[in-house]
Amino acid sequence: MNPSSEGLPSSDDDQVLPFQLDALGVRGRLVRLGPSLDAVIEGHGYPLAVARPLAEAMALCTALATSLKYDGIFTLQISGDGPVRLLVTDLTSDGALRGYAQFDSRKLAVALGGGTGEAPEGYVPKLFGQGRLAFTVDQGQHTERYQGVVPLEGATLADCAHTYFRQSEQLPTGIKIAARRTVDGGTGHWRAAALMVQQMPEFDAGRVDVDREQREDDWRRAVILMASATEGEMLDAKLPGTRLLYRLFHQERPRQFERRRFVARCRCSRTRIDRVLRSIKREELGDLRDPSSRVVVKCEFCSSEYAYDDRDLDRIYASAA
Ligand SMILES: [Zn+2]
């Protein structure tokens, strides 16, 4: 274990802990989310069967986003024709995380068939139906947007991510995701975790003299060790991430890197909503008007409402001219 980590607060919530297994030519990361999930999920009051996929998607989003170098916004979006129509989560390079889901309550009740209300194991086909998984990296106006899209294939979100890794010819990647809600003193709390390993290009791994067969064996070993993490361990707030990595990979002497923190924060603002409105013709705003004739726009991520009366609209459309 990294001696410098001793004595630090044990909570790894809302952080990513990157690591490298030099002996195997593999890098990885452990993401653990806690309060940021509560802020997003409990804030919306989503039913359990919607909350768990969202919690897992947020863990997947942070694991993938922090394995890329980007300056902007990484977005994960799942859409389908099932009870959960849409699930969106994004992470900015400075650590702001948010997410929301759109679902049909009636279809959801039918799909769950009067069970506990929890998302069943292997819930992807049941909750999302036929759909797709998309990743987008947006680095601002003057750069090209990167987008990867794959059909939603697999029983779990991790399966779907594996489909993406294979189809998009990424480096061999393995991921394990877990999420659970616990009730503590009458208050619900969500926790989620993602553990990811990725084979490094030979050059980066500094293992140019390792033959192909050895590389494959090393990769297989890394995946088996990663998969040996139990959901209980991944979600245990009392088990520090450094200790979990040591438990899993102690023979490989995991080398750990600086953690990065996340915080639940929405990027919506009146200026941004102004811009959105300006992109719509004023006469087409009728549907958005409330009974007092104000145009009200609600942010799906954080539920903030932005209201505009006619004087506000005059100002917006005047500045567009
Ligand atoms: Zn917002």
Side-chain angles (χ1 to χ4, degrees):
M1 195 191 301
N2 179 355
S4 66
S5 67
E6 301 279 6
L8 291 174
S10 67
S11 174
D12 297 317
D13 286 349
D14 298 341
Q15 291 184 12
V16 59
L17 173 57
F19 62 92
Q20 197 161 309
L21 309 172
D22 296 306
L24 301 182
V26 165
R27 63 177 182 167
R29 50 237 309 107
L30 170 65
V31 168
R32 283 171 143 187
L33 301 178
S36 63
L37 294 179
D38 288 340
V40 170
I41 294 170
E42 300 290 313
H44 280 108
Y46 291 130
L48 288 175
V50 173
R52 180 166 157 211
L54 181 56
E56 292 192 356
M58 287 170 71
L60 174 61
C61 173
T62 47
L64 293 174
T66 55
S67 64
L68 297 172
K69 282 195 176 72
Y70 70 101
D71 183 11
I73 306 156
F74 180 96
T75 305
L76 182 161
Q77 184 172 317
I78 301 170
S79 53
D81 61 5
V84 183
R85 282 190 297 269
L86 180 67
L87 198 157
V88 184
T89 169
D90 64 30
L91 179 71
T92 64
S93 37
D94 60 2
L97 178 64
R98 60 182 194 167
Y100 77 92
Q102 284 179 358
F103 61 99
D104 181 319
S105 315
R106 201 181 47 79
K107 276 193 188 172
L108 189 64
V110 172
L112 297 175
T116 58
E118 295 199 26
E121 290 311 311
Y123 58 73
V124 169
K126 205 169 229 179
L127 295 184
F128 294 100
Q130 299 277 333
R132 53 182 219 152
L133 171 68
F135 303 103
T136 315
V137 181
D138 188 343
Q139 305 198 85
Q141 276 185 339
H142 304 292
T143 54
E144 211 171 305
R145 248 161 69 115
Y146 163 81
Q147 191 171 37
V149 185
V150 289
L152 212 49
E153 276 171 14
T156 66
L157 278 195
D159 293 343
C160 298
H162 287 134
T163 305
Y164 165 74
F165 293 131
R166 275 195 309 274
Q167 294 193 3
S168 57
E169 294 171 26
Q170 304 282 321
L171 293 164
T173 305
I175 191 159
K176 183 162 183 170
I177 307 171
R180 189 193 297 151
R181 182 176 191 261
T182 53
V183 178
D184 179 15
T187 318
H189 292 290
W190 275 95
R191 300 191 60 74
L195 190 56
M196 184 167 126
V197 287
Q198 192 161 51
Q199 199 176 52
M200 293 164 66
E202 273 100 326
F203 181 75
D204 282 355
R207 288 161 17 102
V208 276
D209 54 337
V210 176
D211 69 26
R212 192 189 162 93
E213 210 164 290
Q214 180 68 47
R215 257 178 85 69
E216 280 174 9
D217 288 351
D218 287 348
W219 170 239
R220 215 163 288 140
R221 178 171 169 78
V223 172
I224 290 169
L225 293 175
M226 177 203 74
S228 73
T230 66
E231 263 191 42
E233 287 174 319
M234 290 172 71
L235 299 175
D236 183 355
K238 296 197 181 74
L239 176 65
T242 50
R243 201 169 303 156
L244 173 56
L245 293 183
Y246 184 73
R247 237 184 229 184
L248 299 171
F249 304 110
H250 56 96
Q251 284 188 349
E252 282 64 36
R253 299 169 172 271
R255 194 147 63 88
Q256 294 164 21
F257 299 94
E258 200 182 340
R259 294 153 191 263
R260 277 171 58 191
R261 289 171 190 281
F262 316 119
V263 63
R265 191 173 67 229
C266 194
R267 303 192 309 279
C268 68
S269 66
R270 187 162 280 270
T271 314
R272 294 174 64 112
I273 305 289
D274 286 1
R275 207 155 53 215
V276 173
L277 287 180
R278 214 175 288 141
S279 70
I280 304 170
K281 286 203 182 83
R282 187 166 180 173
E283 51 276 22
E284 286 169 6
L285 296 177
D287 291 349
L288 297 171
R289 289 186 189 264
D290 70 359
S292 64
S293 179
R294 292 179 317 164
V295 169
V296 180
V297 180
K298 186 173 172 182
C299 171
E300 300 226 54
F301 284 98
C302 69
S303 306
S304 295
E305 287 194 334
Y306 297 87
Y308 294 81
D309 61 20
D310 280 309
R311 263 214 331 257
D312 297 325
L313 294 175
D314 289 343
R315 173 181 55 80
I316 288 175
Y317 286 95
S319 65

